[in-house]
Amino acid sequence: MAPPSNRRPGFSRRAQYRRFIGYVIAATGVAVAAVLMLISTLSPGAFSPLRGAARDLTTPLSSGMDTVRGWFGSMTGSIGEHFGAVSENRRLKQQLADSRRLVLQARTLGRENRRLRALLRLRDRNPDTVAVARLVSSSAGSTRRYAVLNAGSRQGVRQGQPVRGPNGLIGRVLETGFNNARILLIIDPESVVPVRRTRDGMPAIIVGRGDGLVEVRAASVANAPFLSGDVFVTSGTGGIYPPNIPVARVVRNASDSSVARVFASPDTADFAMVQQVFMPEAPPAAAGEAIPQAGDGDE
């Protein structure tokens, strides 16, 4: 027969002894605590050795815990400083990139201002200026080299007028519209410019090659030597280009003909100036006006 589930511990002597001992220990603890409290109240100095011994036991543990706590605190601070340094580094990099963009913009504006000032000074010195306008486009992907000028017949631009920039000759007007003009560049194969060498005045002609360079050919001297660095300017021959406009510089030594680089590249010129032709054609005689003949008026 199974024992009942509500059996009390009084039926087991072992359980009774265990419970009795627990009561004794609890009563003893209460009595000891009461005595200790009474002694600490009546004589506080009696526990100084015990407190010192307790401190000796707990001080290393407290020191170790403080070290661990400081290490964790420093590690947290180091992590925060790391992320702060990363954020500051990104901010400084962005600031440096912005500063570089501003510097590049300032340099670009400075170069453009210098070109415009040079062109304005040139226009002020030259009374034959027709118009100053922007070069809006140029044909760089073809052997034929043209440019479009943002000025036309409305501004007084006419066919055949020379076009130059602050650095040198660009070309001549080929066609005109009401507010635009087509420019034949001197680097075009159909362009021929009479020039002279600055160091000795030797006449020559410059012909475009279609690749951004020009060819200098001697006009009257056979096997004429061309030296690297020779500068050629317009001579005024032909009655289109005014004299002394810089045209090109020879890039290598040669004989009879040589390759040269133009001073005014249309790819880098923003503005251009249209001038009057050097020797304009004489106006036609009015209808019915008699042309004087030799000996007229002689009786």
Side-chain angles (χ1 to χ4, degrees), residues 5-282:
S5 59
N6 58 350
R7 185 180 180 183
R8 295 179 298 176
F11 291 98
S12 174
R13 290 186 176 276
R14 181 179 297 178
Q16 292 177 354
Y17 290 151
R18 192 180 301 133
R19 176 173 291 188
F20 176 75
I21 292 173
Y23 289 155
V24 172
I25 292 174
T28 304
V30 172
V32 172
V35 172
L36 291 177
M37 290 181 61
L38 182 62
I39 294 174
S40 63
T41 302
L42 298 177
S43 179
F47 285 97
S48 296
L50 294 177
R51 286 194 295 267
R55 284 194 300 269
D56 291 339
L57 293 175
T58 58
T59 296
L61 181 60
S62 300
S63 178
M65 293 297 295
D66 186 68
T67 302
V68 172
R69 186 170 54 254
W71 182 78
F72 277 106
S74 63
M75 182 177 66
T76 305
S78 299
I79 293 174
E81 291 177 358
H82 170 72
F83 284 106
V86 170
S87 177
E88 182 68 13
N89 188 22
R90 290 175 180 172
R91 187 185 67 82
L92 292 176
K93 286 183 177 180
Q94 183 63 35
Q95 184 178 359
L96 181 60
D98 295 339
S99 300
R100 286 177 177 172
R101 284 194 293 269
L102 291 176
V103 170
L104 290 177
Q105 291 176 1
R107 289 178 177 174
T108 302
L109 291 176
R111 287 194 295 267
E112 185 174 358
N113 288 336
R114 286 193 296 271
R115 288 196 297 267
L116 291 177
R117 284 197 296 267
L119 194 60
L120 288 175
R121 288 195 299 268
L122 184 62
R123 184 194 65 177
D124 293 338
R125 291 196 304 265
N126 196 330
D128 296 330
T129 301
V130 176
V132 176
R134 183 184 291 272
L135 287 172
V136 295
S137 65
S138 62
S139 57
S142 171
T143 56
R144 301 306 307 272
R145 304 303 299 271
Y146 301 102
V148 176
L149 186 71
N150 192 21
S153 58
R154 180 172 176 270
Q155 291 77 22
V157 178
R158 299 291 182 268
Q159 182 180 359
Q161 291 175 337
V163 181
R164 64 169 299 177
N167 297 326
L169 187 65
I170 294 177
R172 60 183 173 88
V173 178
L174 189 64
E175 298 173 354
T176 59
F178 187 66
N179 279 316
N180 64 84
R182 194 181 191 193
I183 309 302
L184 179 68
L185 303 176
I186 61 174
I187 55 178
D188 186 87
E190 297 296 325
S191 173
V192 178
V193 181
V195 295
R196 64 177 180 84
R197 190 161 55 186
T198 55
R199 63 184 174 91
D200 57 3
M202 184 191 76
I205 58 173
I206 285 183
V207 181
R209 290 163 44 103
D211 58 355
L213 301 175
V214 294
E215 184 178 0
V216 186
R217 303 173 184 173
S220 59
V221 180
N223 297 323
F226 291 96
L227 303 179
S228 176
D230 282 348
V231 175
F232 287 85
V233 298
T234 55
S235 62
T237 304
I240 296 179
Y241 304 103
N244 300 322
I245 300 177
V247 180
R249 185 192 304 272
V250 175
V251 297
R252 60 172 177 263
N253 298 341
S255 178
D256 195 40
S257 66
S258 181
V259 177
R261 190 179 304 277
V262 297
F263 286 106
S265 174
D267 297 329
T268 59
D270 295 333
F271 288 85
M273 182 175 65
V274 182
Q275 294 181 259
Q276 296 286 358
V277 295
F278 179 52
M279 295 177 60
E281 296 180 0

